[in-house]
Amino acid sequence: MTLDFQPEHIVVNDADGILSISLNRPEKRNAITSQMIAEMICTLDHASNDPGVRVIVVKGTGKGFCPGDDLGGMGDVPSPLLQYASVPITHAGLQQLIRELPKPVIAAVHGYAFGVGLDLAMACDFRIVSDDIVLQDQRVMARGMHALTGCAWFHPRVMGITRAMAFLVLGEPMDAETAVNVGMVTSRCPADALAETTDQLAHRLAGAPTKAIGLMKHQIHTGIEMDHPEFMSYVAPLMQSVTIRDREEGIAAFLEKRPPQFTGE
């Protein structure tokens, strides 16, 4: 995949249908800047339109994933990036883009994820964390901040209001085992196995029926706000309006007792 710009705050790699986006400000522990948000949005825009990209992995360089915003200053967005972005260059815009992207997005989280850095991971479809992870949001209790970047939307939906209230108000850290048990993350693994574990899932998804995954992702995110009759009415026309070519291959492979060869279409 070829980008129209040269990233400075992220590192982008593309191979075997897997697009890897690494937050790359290790001297600042990967603290988020406005430029980083813009670079991620523009990269995801390209990925959305590139049929060769089947899955996206978001991760961090250095000692951890992301501590949140750079409180020393978010900085400006280089003017060329302003014309490329399909959504507002904000946390809300980035999270919306990830959630609406018709391809699976994996967050590979090591070391720490704090505040809006954790919100970024929560916007992803799969979250794999290392056993040494520390997940925490101290913006309310320790800093008296507004914390308006999605945490109060994501966390009650994955762990319930009672746990979310304690996590977001008291600001106490959560470890990997607890995060799995409350549904905050998909899975955990030893720190030295995170890259391999993430790679295995990424390759599995890269060989999967991408369009079918995108449709299921859309149903989940849209349907969670609907009651059952409303949801069933909403999805009823999708069989006719959405064509998934991999469906024929999947059925044929089942009948012929062979592994399917999906194209992502």
Side-chain angles (χ1 to χ4, degrees), residues 56-171:
I56 296 93
V57 176
V58 180
K59 55 188 178 180
T61 59
K63 296 182 179 180
F65 180 71
C66 180
D69 283 339
D70 189 336
L71 297 183
M74 294 287 286
D76 298 322
V77 178
S79 56
L81 294 177
L82 294 172
Q83 62 181 319
Y84 297 137
S86 65
V87 295
I89 299 175
T90 61
H91 290 298
L94 175 57
Q95 293 169 16
Q96 172 191 341
L97 185 57
I98 292 173
R99 288 166 52 80
E100 294 181 355
L101 198 75
K103 301 176 182 183
V105 183
I106 304 168
V109 186
H110 75 291
Y112 50 79
F114 303 145
V116 74
L118 178 55
D119 295 339
L120 171 61
M122 295 301 294
C124 298
D125 306 309
F126 300 91
R127 292 173 291 281
I128 304 175
V129 302
S130 59
D131 277 338
D132 63 353
I133 194 73
V134 178
L135 306 173
Q136 191 170 23
D137 197 324
Q138 292 185 305
R139 287 178 289 181
V140 171
M141 183 64 76
R143 300 188 183 95
M145 297 174 69
H146 291 74
L148 304 176
T149 55
C151 57
W153 193 92
F154 288 119
H155 293 304
R157 283 168 168 78
V158 300
M159 68 173 84
I161 292 176
T162 301
R163 289 192 178 101
M165 191 71 72
F167 182 73
L168 294 174
V169 172
L170 301 180

Side-chain angles (χ1 to χ4, degrees), residues 228-260:
H228 184 260
E230 182 184 7
F231 175 77
M232 296 306 292
S233 296
Y234 174 76
V235 300
L238 297 180
M239 180 65 78
Q240 285 71 42
S241 63
V242 179
T243 300
I244 301 177
R245 295 187 178 92
D246 277 332
R247 178 176 181 271
E248 296 180 4
E249 167 62 12
I251 293 173
F254 174 77
L255 294 175
E256 296 167 13
K257 295 180 173 56
R258 60 172 175 82

Side-chain angles (χ1 to χ4, degrees), residues 51 53-55 102-104 202-217 242-251 260-265:
V53 175
R54 307 279 289 275
V55 59
K103 301 176 182 183
H203 275 89
R204 181 181 178 188
L205 290 168
T210 311
K211 195 167 183 179
I213 292 173
L215 180 60
M216 179 54 66
K217 176 176 173 176
V242 179
T243 300
I244 301 177
R245 295 187 178 92
D246 277 332
R247 178 176 181 271
E248 296 180 4
E249 167 62 12
I251 293 173
Q261 299 297 316
F262 294 123
T263 65
E265 295 297 320

